[in-house]
Short mmCIF file of all heavy atoms in Angstrom, two decimals:
data_model
loop_
_atom_site.label_atom_id
_atom_site.label_comp_id
_atom_site.label_asym_id
_atom_site.label_seq_id
_atom_site.Cartn_x
_atom_site.Cartn_y
_atom_site.Cartn_z
N ASP A 11 -17.86 -17.19 18.83
CA ASP A 11 -17.41 -18.21 19.75
C ASP A 11 -15.89 -18.23 19.87
O ASP A 11 -15.35 -19.00 20.64
CB ASP A 11 -17.90 -19.58 19.29
CG ASP A 11 -19.42 -19.69 19.34
OD1 ASP A 11 -20.05 -18.87 20.04
OD2 ASP A 11 -19.97 -20.58 18.69
N LYS A 12 -15.20 -17.43 19.07
CA LYS A 12 -13.74 -17.42 19.11
C LYS A 12 -13.25 -16.51 20.22
O LYS A 12 -13.91 -15.54 20.58
CB LYS A 12 -13.17 -16.94 17.78
CG LYS A 12 -13.41 -17.90 16.64
CD LYS A 12 -12.73 -17.39 15.40
CE LYS A 12 -12.92 -18.38 14.27
NZ LYS A 12 -12.20 -17.97 13.08
N GLU A 13 -12.09 -16.82 20.72
CA GLU A 13 -11.44 -15.97 21.71
C GLU A 13 -11.02 -14.67 21.04
O GLU A 13 -10.59 -14.68 19.87
CB GLU A 13 -10.20 -16.67 22.28
CG GLU A 13 -10.52 -17.90 23.10
CD GLU A 13 -11.22 -17.56 24.40
OE1 GLU A 13 -10.82 -16.56 25.04
OE2 GLU A 13 -12.18 -18.26 24.75
N PRO A 14 -11.11 -13.54 21.73
CA PRO A 14 -10.65 -12.27 21.14
C PRO A 14 -9.18 -12.37 20.74
O PRO A 14 -8.36 -12.91 21.47
CB PRO A 14 -10.84 -11.27 22.27
CG PRO A 14 -11.86 -11.89 23.18
CD PRO A 14 -11.67 -13.37 23.06
N GLY A 15 -8.87 -11.86 19.57
CA GLY A 15 -7.50 -11.86 19.08
C GLY A 15 -7.09 -13.12 18.35
O GLY A 15 -5.96 -13.24 17.89
N THR A 16 -8.00 -14.10 18.21
CA THR A 16 -7.65 -15.34 17.52
C THR A 16 -8.21 -15.39 16.11
O THR A 16 -8.00 -16.37 15.41
CB THR A 16 -8.14 -16.57 18.31
OG1 THR A 16 -9.57 -16.53 18.39
CG2 THR A 16 -7.53 -16.63 19.69
N GLU A 17 -8.91 -14.34 15.69
CA GLU A 17 -9.47 -14.32 14.34
C GLU A 17 -8.35 -14.22 13.32
O GLU A 17 -7.36 -13.53 13.53
CB GLU A 17 -10.42 -13.13 14.15
CG GLU A 17 -11.59 -13.10 15.09
CD GLU A 17 -11.28 -12.40 16.40
OE1 GLU A 17 -10.25 -11.71 16.50
OE2 GLU A 17 -12.07 -12.56 17.34
N LYS A 18 -8.50 -14.92 12.22
CA LYS A 18 -7.51 -14.85 11.14
C LYS A 18 -7.71 -13.54 10.38
O LYS A 18 -8.82 -13.16 10.05
CB LYS A 18 -7.68 -16.02 10.19
CG LYS A 18 -6.65 -16.03 9.08
CD LYS A 18 -6.71 -17.34 8.32
CE LYS A 18 -5.80 -17.33 7.12
NZ LYS A 18 -4.40 -17.39 7.40
N ILE A 19 -6.61 -12.83 10.15
CA ILE A 19 -6.65 -11.57 9.42
C ILE A 19 -6.30 -11.87 7.97
O ILE A 19 -5.24 -12.41 7.68
CB ILE A 19 -5.67 -10.55 10.01
CG1 ILE A 19 -6.07 -10.23 11.45
CG2 ILE A 19 -5.63 -9.29 9.15
CD1 ILE A 19 -5.08 -9.36 12.18
N HIS A 20 -7.20 -11.53 7.05
CA HIS A 20 -6.97 -11.77 5.63
C HIS A 20 -6.43 -10.50 4.99
O HIS A 20 -6.98 -9.43 5.16
CB HIS A 20 -8.28 -12.17 4.94
CG HIS A 20 -8.84 -13.46 5.47
ND1 HIS A 20 -8.36 -14.68 5.08
CD2 HIS A 20 -9.80 -13.70 6.38
CE1 HIS A 20 -9.02 -15.64 5.71
NE2 HIS A 20 -9.90 -15.06 6.51
N ARG A 21 -5.32 -10.64 4.30
CA ARG A 21 -4.69 -9.51 3.63
C ARG A 21 -4.57 -9.84 2.14
O ARG A 21 -4.39 -10.98 1.77
CB ARG A 21 -3.31 -9.23 4.20
CG ARG A 21 -3.36 -8.90 5.68
CD ARG A 21 -2.00 -8.43 6.16
NE ARG A 21 -1.98 -8.26 7.59
CZ ARG A 21 -2.33 -7.14 8.21
NH1 ARG A 21 -2.72 -6.10 7.53
NH2 ARG A 21 -2.27 -7.06 9.53
N PRO A 22 -4.66 -8.81 1.30
CA PRO A 22 -4.52 -9.07 -0.14
C PRO A 22 -3.12 -9.58 -0.46
O PRO A 22 -2.14 -9.17 0.15
CB PRO A 22 -4.77 -7.71 -0.78
CG PRO A 22 -4.72 -6.72 0.30
CD PRO A 22 -4.89 -7.42 1.60
N ILE A 23 -3.03 -10.48 -1.41
CA ILE A 23 -1.76 -11.04 -1.84
C ILE A 23 -1.54 -10.60 -3.29
O ILE A 23 -2.42 -10.81 -4.14
CB ILE A 23 -1.78 -12.59 -1.76
CG1 ILE A 23 -2.01 -13.01 -0.31
CG2 ILE A 23 -0.50 -13.17 -2.31
CD1 ILE A 23 -2.26 -14.49 -0.16
N PRO A 24 -0.37 -9.99 -3.57
CA PRO A 24 -0.13 -9.57 -4.96
C PRO A 24 -0.18 -10.76 -5.91
O PRO A 24 0.29 -11.84 -5.58
CB PRO A 24 1.28 -8.98 -4.91
CG PRO A 24 1.54 -8.67 -3.48
CD PRO A 24 0.73 -9.66 -2.68
N ASP A 25 -0.76 -10.54 -7.06
CA ASP A 25 -0.86 -11.58 -8.08
C ASP A 25 0.19 -11.32 -9.15
O ASP A 25 0.11 -10.31 -9.86
CB ASP A 25 -2.26 -11.58 -8.68
CG ASP A 25 -2.47 -12.69 -9.70
OD1 ASP A 25 -1.77 -13.72 -9.61
OD2 ASP A 25 -3.32 -12.53 -10.58
N GLY A 26 1.17 -12.18 -9.26
CA GLY A 26 2.20 -12.01 -10.28
C GLY A 26 3.37 -11.18 -9.77
O GLY A 26 3.50 -10.89 -8.59
N ASP A 27 4.22 -10.80 -10.71
CA ASP A 27 5.42 -10.04 -10.37
C ASP A 27 5.05 -8.57 -10.14
O ASP A 27 4.09 -8.06 -10.69
CB ASP A 27 6.44 -10.13 -11.50
CG ASP A 27 6.97 -11.54 -11.68
OD1 ASP A 27 7.03 -12.28 -10.68
OD2 ASP A 27 7.33 -11.90 -12.81
N PHE A 28 5.85 -7.93 -9.30
CA PHE A 28 5.60 -6.52 -9.01
C PHE A 28 6.92 -5.79 -8.90
O PHE A 28 7.99 -6.39 -8.82
CB PHE A 28 4.80 -6.35 -7.71
CG PHE A 28 5.48 -6.92 -6.50
CD1 PHE A 28 6.37 -6.16 -5.76
CD2 PHE A 28 5.24 -8.22 -6.10
CE1 PHE A 28 7.01 -6.68 -4.66
CE2 PHE A 28 5.86 -8.75 -4.99
CZ PHE A 28 6.76 -7.98 -4.26
N GLU A 29 6.83 -4.49 -8.93
CA GLU A 29 7.98 -3.62 -8.75
C GLU A 29 7.60 -2.57 -7.71
O GLU A 29 6.43 -2.33 -7.46
CB GLU A 29 8.41 -2.96 -10.06
CG GLU A 29 7.33 -2.07 -10.66
CD GLU A 29 7.73 -1.51 -12.01
OE1 GLU A 29 8.40 -0.46 -12.03
OE2 GLU A 29 7.37 -2.12 -13.03
N ILE A 30 8.61 -1.98 -7.10
CA ILE A 30 8.38 -0.92 -6.11
C ILE A 30 8.44 0.42 -6.82
O ILE A 30 9.42 0.74 -7.49
CB ILE A 30 9.42 -0.96 -4.99
CG1 ILE A 30 9.48 -2.33 -4.33
CG2 ILE A 30 9.15 0.15 -3.97
CD1 ILE A 30 8.27 -2.70 -3.53
N MET A 31 7.37 1.20 -6.68
CA MET A 31 7.32 2.55 -7.22
C MET A 31 7.56 3.51 -6.06
O MET A 31 6.74 3.58 -5.14
CB MET A 31 5.97 2.84 -7.86
CG MET A 31 5.84 4.26 -8.36
SD MET A 31 4.17 4.63 -8.95
CE MET A 31 4.06 3.51 -10.31
N PRO A 32 8.70 4.22 -6.05
CA PRO A 32 8.96 5.14 -4.95
C PRO A 32 8.00 6.33 -4.99
O PRO A 32 7.64 6.81 -6.06
CB PRO A 32 10.41 5.59 -5.18
CG PRO A 32 10.70 5.29 -6.60
CD PRO A 32 9.76 4.20 -7.04
N LEU A 33 7.61 6.76 -3.81
CA LEU A 33 6.75 7.95 -3.70
C LEU A 33 7.49 8.98 -2.86
O LEU A 33 7.60 8.86 -1.66
CB LEU A 33 5.42 7.60 -3.03
CG LEU A 33 4.51 6.63 -3.77
CD1 LEU A 33 3.26 6.36 -2.95
CD2 LEU A 33 4.14 7.18 -5.12
N GLY A 34 8.05 9.96 -3.50
CA GLY A 34 8.76 11.01 -2.78
C GLY A 34 10.25 10.74 -2.69
O GLY A 34 10.80 9.89 -3.38
N GLU A 35 10.90 11.49 -1.79
CA GLU A 35 12.35 11.45 -1.65
C GLU A 35 12.85 10.25 -0.85
O GLU A 35 13.95 9.77 -1.08
CB GLU A 35 12.83 12.74 -0.97
CG GLU A 35 12.45 14.01 -1.72
CD GLU A 35 13.13 14.10 -3.07
OE1 GLU A 35 14.31 13.73 -3.18
OE2 GLU A 35 12.47 14.53 -4.03
N ASP A 36 12.06 9.77 0.09
CA ASP A 36 12.47 8.67 0.96
C ASP A 36 12.33 7.34 0.23
O ASP A 36 11.22 6.93 -0.10
CB ASP A 36 11.63 8.67 2.23
CG ASP A 36 12.09 7.68 3.27
OD1 ASP A 36 12.88 6.77 2.94
OD2 ASP A 36 11.65 7.79 4.42
N PRO A 37 13.45 6.63 -0.03
CA PRO A 37 13.37 5.38 -0.79
C PRO A 37 12.62 4.26 -0.06
O PRO A 37 12.21 3.29 -0.69
CB PRO A 37 14.84 5.01 -1.02
CG PRO A 37 15.60 5.76 0.00
CD PRO A 37 14.80 6.99 0.33
N SER A 38 12.44 4.39 1.25
CA SER A 38 11.71 3.36 1.99
C SER A 38 10.20 3.49 1.81
O SER A 38 9.45 2.61 2.21
CB SER A 38 12.06 3.41 3.48
OG SER A 38 11.54 4.58 4.07
N LYS A 39 9.77 4.58 1.23
CA LYS A 39 8.34 4.81 1.02
C LYS A 39 8.00 4.54 -0.44
O LYS A 39 8.14 5.40 -1.30
CB LYS A 39 7.96 6.24 1.43
CG LYS A 39 8.16 6.49 2.90
CD LYS A 39 7.78 7.89 3.29
CE LYS A 39 7.95 8.08 4.78
NZ LYS A 39 7.64 9.43 5.20
N GLY A 40 7.55 3.32 -0.69
CA GLY A 40 7.21 2.92 -2.04
C GLY A 40 5.99 2.03 -2.05
O GLY A 40 5.60 1.46 -1.03
N ILE A 41 5.37 1.91 -3.20
CA ILE A 41 4.17 1.12 -3.39
C ILE A 41 4.47 0.01 -4.39
O ILE A 41 5.14 0.23 -5.39
CB ILE A 41 3.03 2.02 -3.96
CG1 ILE A 41 2.73 3.17 -3.01
CG2 ILE A 41 1.78 1.21 -4.24
CD1 ILE A 41 2.14 2.78 -1.69
N LYS A 42 3.96 -1.18 -4.12
CA LYS A 42 4.12 -2.30 -5.05
C LYS A 42 3.07 -2.20 -6.14
O LYS A 42 1.88 -2.05 -5.86
CB LYS A 42 3.96 -3.64 -4.32
CG LYS A 42 5.06 -3.91 -3.32
CD LYS A 42 4.81 -5.22 -2.61
CE LYS A 42 5.87 -5.48 -1.58
NZ LYS A 42 5.61 -6.71 -0.82
N ILE A 43 3.52 -2.26 -7.39
CA ILE A 43 2.60 -2.28 -8.52
C ILE A 43 2.98 -3.44 -9.43
O ILE A 43 4.15 -3.85 -9.48
CB ILE A 43 2.60 -0.95 -9.31
CG1 ILE A 43 3.96 -0.67 -9.92
CG2 ILE A 43 2.15 0.21 -8.41
CD1 ILE A 43 3.93 0.43 -10.95
N GLY A 44 2.03 -3.97 -10.13
CA GLY A 44 2.26 -5.11 -11.01
C GLY A 44 3.12 -4.74 -12.20
O GLY A 44 2.94 -3.69 -12.80
N THR A 45 4.04 -5.64 -12.56
CA THR A 45 4.91 -5.39 -13.72
C THR A 45 4.17 -5.64 -15.03
O THR A 45 4.63 -5.19 -16.08
CB THR A 45 6.16 -6.28 -13.68
OG1 THR A 45 5.76 -7.65 -13.62
CG2 THR A 45 7.04 -5.96 -12.49
N GLY A 46 3.03 -6.31 -14.98
CA GLY A 46 2.29 -6.62 -16.19
C GLY A 46 1.31 -5.55 -16.62
O GLY A 46 0.58 -5.74 -17.60
N LEU A 47 1.30 -4.41 -15.95
CA LEU A 47 0.38 -3.35 -16.34
C LEU A 47 0.78 -2.75 -17.68
O LEU A 47 1.98 -2.55 -17.94
CB LEU A 47 0.37 -2.23 -15.29
CG LEU A 47 -0.20 -2.57 -13.92
CD1 LEU A 47 0.02 -1.39 -12.97
CD2 LEU A 47 -1.67 -2.90 -14.03
N PRO A 48 -0.18 -2.40 -18.51
CA PRO A 48 0.14 -1.69 -19.75
C PRO A 48 0.80 -0.34 -19.42
O PRO A 48 0.53 0.25 -18.37
CB PRO A 48 -1.22 -1.48 -20.41
CG PRO A 48 -2.13 -2.47 -19.78
CD PRO A 48 -1.61 -2.69 -18.39
N ASP A 49 1.67 0.14 -20.30
CA ASP A 49 2.42 1.37 -20.05
C ASP A 49 1.52 2.56 -19.70
O ASP A 49 1.81 3.31 -18.77
CB ASP A 49 3.30 1.73 -21.24
CG ASP A 49 4.50 0.81 -21.37
OD1 ASP A 49 4.89 0.18 -20.36
OD2 ASP A 49 5.05 0.73 -22.48
N LEU A 50 0.44 2.75 -20.44
CA LEU A 50 -0.46 3.87 -20.18
C LEU A 50 -1.06 3.77 -18.78
O LEU A 50 -1.08 4.75 -18.03
CB LEU A 50 -1.58 3.95 -21.23
CG LEU A 50 -2.62 5.04 -21.01
CD1 LEU A 50 -1.96 6.43 -20.98
CD2 LEU A 50 -3.71 4.98 -22.06
N VAL A 51 -1.52 2.59 -18.41
CA VAL A 51 -2.12 2.39 -17.08
C VAL A 51 -1.06 2.64 -16.01
O VAL A 51 -1.34 3.28 -14.98
CB VAL A 51 -2.71 0.97 -16.96
CG1 VAL A 51 -3.16 0.69 -15.54
CG2 VAL A 51 -3.86 0.79 -17.93
N LYS A 52 0.14 2.16 -16.23
CA LYS A 52 1.22 2.35 -15.26
C LYS A 52 1.52 3.83 -15.06
O LYS A 52 1.66 4.30 -13.93
CB LYS A 52 2.47 1.61 -15.75
CG LYS A 52 3.61 1.64 -14.78
CD LYS A 52 4.77 0.80 -15.33
CE LYS A 52 5.96 0.86 -14.43
NZ LYS A 52 7.08 0.06 -14.93
N ARG A 53 1.60 4.59 -16.14
CA ARG A 53 1.86 6.04 -16.04
C ARG A 53 0.72 6.75 -15.32
O ARG A 53 0.95 7.64 -14.50
CB ARG A 53 2.10 6.63 -17.42
CG ARG A 53 3.44 6.25 -18.03
CD ARG A 53 3.82 7.11 -19.24
NE ARG A 53 2.78 7.18 -20.26
CZ ARG A 53 2.67 6.31 -21.28
NH1 ARG A 53 3.52 5.32 -21.41
NH2 ARG A 53 1.71 6.46 -22.17
N GLN A 54 -0.52 6.37 -15.63
CA GLN A 54 -1.68 7.00 -14.97
C GLN A 54 -1.70 6.67 -13.49
O GLN A 54 -1.97 7.53 -12.65
CB GLN A 54 -2.98 6.54 -15.64
CG GLN A 54 -3.16 7.08 -17.03
CD GLN A 54 -4.36 6.47 -17.74
OE1 GLN A 54 -4.74 5.33 -17.49
NE2 GLN A 54 -4.95 7.23 -18.66
N LEU A 55 -1.41 5.41 -13.15
CA LEU A 55 -1.37 5.00 -11.76
C LEU A 55 -0.27 5.73 -11.01
O LEU A 55 -0.48 6.24 -9.90
CB LEU A 55 -1.17 3.49 -11.66
CG LEU A 55 -1.05 2.90 -10.26
CD1 LEU A 55 -2.30 3.18 -9.44
CD2 LEU A 55 -0.79 1.40 -10.35
N GLU A 56 0.90 5.82 -11.61
CA GLU A 56 2.02 6.53 -10.98
C GLU A 56 1.66 7.99 -10.73
O GLU A 56 1.90 8.52 -9.64
CB GLU A 56 3.26 6.43 -11.87
CG GLU A 56 4.47 7.10 -11.27
CD GLU A 56 5.73 6.91 -12.10
OE1 GLU A 56 5.63 6.42 -13.25
OE2 GLU A 56 6.80 7.25 -11.61
N ALA A 57 1.05 8.65 -11.70
CA ALA A 57 0.66 10.05 -11.55
C ALA A 57 -0.35 10.20 -10.42
O ALA A 57 -0.24 11.11 -9.58
CB ALA A 57 0.09 10.59 -12.86
N CYS A 58 -1.33 9.31 -10.36
CA CYS A 58 -2.36 9.37 -9.32
C CYS A 58 -1.76 9.15 -7.94
O CYS A 58 -2.06 9.89 -6.99
CB CYS A 58 -3.44 8.34 -9.61
SG CYS A 58 -4.77 8.31 -8.39
N LEU A 59 -0.91 8.15 -7.81
CA LEU A 59 -0.29 7.85 -6.51
C LEU A 59 0.59 8.99 -6.04
O LEU A 59 0.54 9.40 -4.87
CB LEU A 59 0.51 6.55 -6.59
CG LEU A 59 -0.32 5.28 -6.77
CD1 LEU A 59 0.60 4.09 -7.04
CD2 LEU A 59 -1.19 5.03 -5.56
N LYS A 60 1.40 9.54 -6.94
CA LYS A 60 2.29 10.64 -6.56
C LYS A 60 1.51 11.90 -6.23
O LYS A 60 1.90 12.66 -5.36
CB LYS A 60 3.33 10.88 -7.65
CG LYS A 60 4.36 9.76 -7.68
CD LYS A 60 5.47 10.02 -8.66
CE LYS A 60 6.50 8.89 -8.53
NZ LYS A 60 7.63 9.08 -9.41
N GLU A 61 0.39 12.10 -6.90
CA GLU A 61 -0.45 13.27 -6.64
C GLU A 61 -1.11 13.16 -5.26
O GLU A 61 -1.45 14.17 -4.64
CB GLU A 61 -1.52 13.37 -7.72
CG GLU A 61 -2.38 14.61 -7.64
CD GLU A 61 -3.33 14.69 -8.82
OE1 GLU A 61 -2.89 14.54 -9.97
OE2 GLU A 61 -4.53 14.91 -8.57
N ASN A 62 -1.28 11.94 -4.77
CA ASN A 62 -1.98 11.70 -3.51
C ASN A 62 -1.08 11.10 -2.43
O ASN A 62 -1.56 10.44 -1.50
CB ASN A 62 -3.19 10.80 -3.76
CG ASN A 62 -4.22 11.49 -4.61
OD1 ASN A 62 -4.92 12.38 -4.15
ND2 ASN A 62 -4.31 11.10 -5.87
N THR A 63 0.22 11.34 -2.52
CA THR A 63 1.18 10.77 -1.57
C THR A 63 0.82 11.10 -0.13
O THR A 63 1.01 10.28 0.77
CB THR A 63 2.60 11.28 -1.89
OG1 THR A 63 2.92 10.91 -3.22
CG2 THR A 63 3.63 10.71 -0.95
N GLU A 64 0.28 12.28 0.11
CA GLU A 64 -0.03 12.70 1.48
C GLU A 64 -1.12 11.86 2.13
O GLU A 64 -1.33 11.92 3.34
CB GLU A 64 -0.41 14.19 1.53
CG GLU A 64 -1.80 14.51 0.99
CD GLU A 64 -1.90 14.58 -0.53
OE1 GLU A 64 -0.90 14.46 -1.24
OE2 GLU A 64 -3.03 14.77 -1.01
N LEU A 65 -1.82 11.05 1.35
CA LEU A 65 -2.88 10.20 1.89
C LEU A 65 -2.36 8.90 2.51
O LEU A 65 -3.07 8.23 3.22
CB LEU A 65 -3.90 9.86 0.80
CG LEU A 65 -4.60 11.04 0.15
CD1 LEU A 65 -5.53 10.57 -0.96
CD2 LEU A 65 -5.37 11.84 1.18
N PHE A 66 -1.09 8.56 2.23
CA PHE A 66 -0.52 7.32 2.74
C PHE A 66 0.05 7.51 4.13
O PHE A 66 0.64 8.54 4.43
CB PHE A 66 0.59 6.81 1.81
CG PHE A 66 0.08 6.35 0.48
CD1 PHE A 66 -0.03 7.22 -0.58
CD2 PHE A 66 -0.29 5.03 0.29
CE1 PHE A 66 -0.50 6.81 -1.82
CE2 PHE A 66 -0.77 4.59 -0.94
CZ PHE A 66 -0.87 5.49 -1.98
N ALA A 67 -0.12 6.52 4.98
CA ALA A 67 0.50 6.49 6.30
C ALA A 67 1.56 5.40 6.28
O ALA A 67 1.30 4.29 5.84
CB ALA A 67 -0.55 6.21 7.36
N TRP A 68 2.74 5.72 6.75
CA TRP A 68 3.86 4.79 6.71
C TRP A 68 4.13 4.16 8.06
O TRP A 68 4.97 3.28 8.18
CB TRP A 68 5.09 5.48 6.15
CG TRP A 68 4.81 6.05 4.80
CD1 TRP A 68 4.53 7.35 4.50
CD2 TRP A 68 4.72 5.35 3.55
NE1 TRP A 68 4.28 7.50 3.15
CE2 TRP A 68 4.39 6.28 2.55
CE3 TRP A 68 4.89 4.01 3.19
CZ2 TRP A 68 4.23 5.93 1.22
CZ3 TRP A 68 4.73 3.66 1.86
CH2 TRP A 68 4.41 4.61 0.89
N SER A 69 3.45 4.65 9.09
CA SER A 69 3.60 4.07 10.42
C SER A 69 2.31 4.31 11.20
O SER A 69 1.49 5.15 10.83
CB SER A 69 4.78 4.71 11.16
OG SER A 69 4.47 6.05 11.50
N ALA A 70 2.15 3.58 12.29
CA ALA A 70 0.97 3.75 13.14
C ALA A 70 0.92 5.15 13.73
O ALA A 70 -0.16 5.70 13.96
CB ALA A 70 0.95 2.70 14.24
N ALA A 71 2.08 5.76 13.95
CA ALA A 71 2.14 7.11 14.51
C ALA A 71 1.50 8.14 13.57
O ALA A 71 1.05 9.19 14.03
CB ALA A 71 3.59 7.50 14.79
N GLU A 72 1.45 7.84 12.29
CA GLU A 72 0.85 8.75 11.31
C GLU A 72 -0.65 8.56 11.18
O GLU A 72 -1.28 9.18 10.32
CB GLU A 72 1.52 8.57 9.95
CG GLU A 72 2.99 8.96 9.94
CD GLU A 72 3.61 8.79 8.56
OE1 GLU A 72 2.94 9.07 7.56
OE2 GLU A 72 4.77 8.36 8.50
N MET A 73 -1.23 7.69 12.02
CA MET A 73 -2.66 7.40 11.97
C MET A 73 -3.29 7.60 13.35
O MET A 73 -3.78 6.66 13.95
CB MET A 73 -2.89 5.96 11.50
CG MET A 73 -2.38 5.67 10.12
SD MET A 73 -2.68 3.98 9.60
CE MET A 73 -1.47 3.07 10.54
N PRO A 74 -3.24 8.83 13.88
CA PRO A 74 -3.82 9.05 15.21
C PRO A 74 -5.32 8.72 15.22
O PRO A 74 -6.03 8.97 14.26
CB PRO A 74 -3.58 10.54 15.48
CG PRO A 74 -3.40 11.15 14.13
CD PRO A 74 -2.81 10.08 13.26
N GLY A 75 -5.73 8.10 16.30
CA GLY A 75 -7.15 7.76 16.44
C GLY A 75 -7.50 6.40 15.91
O GLY A 75 -8.61 5.94 16.10
N ILE A 76 -6.58 5.71 15.23
CA ILE A 76 -6.84 4.37 14.73
C ILE A 76 -6.17 3.37 15.66
O ILE A 76 -4.98 3.50 15.96
CB ILE A 76 -6.35 4.20 13.29
CG1 ILE A 76 -7.11 5.13 12.36
CG2 ILE A 76 -6.48 2.75 12.84
CD1 ILE A 76 -6.70 5.07 10.90
N ASP A 77 -6.93 2.41 16.12
CA ASP A 77 -6.42 1.38 17.01
C ASP A 77 -5.23 0.67 16.36
O ASP A 77 -5.35 0.18 15.24
CB ASP A 77 -7.53 0.39 17.31
CG ASP A 77 -7.15 -0.67 18.32
OD1 ASP A 77 -5.95 -0.86 18.58
OD2 ASP A 77 -8.08 -1.31 18.85
N PRO A 78 -4.05 0.59 17.03
CA PRO A 78 -2.90 -0.09 16.45
C PRO A 78 -3.16 -1.55 16.08
O PRO A 78 -2.54 -2.09 15.19
CB PRO A 78 -1.83 -0.01 17.56
CG PRO A 78 -2.24 1.18 18.36
CD PRO A 78 -3.73 1.23 18.30
N GLU A 79 -4.14 -2.18 16.72
CA GLU A 79 -4.51 -3.56 16.36
C GLU A 79 -5.04 -3.62 14.94
O GLU A 79 -4.85 -4.59 14.24
CB GLU A 79 -5.53 -4.12 17.34
CG GLU A 79 -4.98 -4.40 18.72
CD GLU A 79 -3.95 -5.52 18.71
OE1 GLU A 79 -4.17 -6.53 18.03
OE2 GLU A 79 -2.92 -5.36 19.38
N VAL A 80 -5.75 -2.57 14.51
CA VAL A 80 -6.30 -2.50 13.17
C VAL A 80 -5.18 -2.25 12.17
O VAL A 80 -5.12 -2.83 11.10
CB VAL A 80 -7.38 -1.39 13.05
CG1 VAL A 80 -7.83 -1.23 11.62
CG2 VAL A 80 -8.54 -1.72 13.96
N ALA A 81 -4.27 -1.34 12.54
CA ALA A 81 -3.15 -0.98 11.66
C ALA A 81 -2.25 -2.17 11.47
O ALA A 81 -1.72 -2.40 10.45
CB ALA A 81 -2.38 0.19 12.24
#
């Protein structure tokens, strides 16, 4: 019954403090991770994210075929 485009979009909200983990050479490309993670988990997460950096899209232009409304 709602008008198109009036639906509320729910996005995850970080819980607690976080830090930016850079991925690659460009400092503007980073991921927020919780500061309360145990050291081992943090290192494993960092390794996994850096190993899969090519999976991240930093702009709508890097996601051809996906409706910009979704992005």
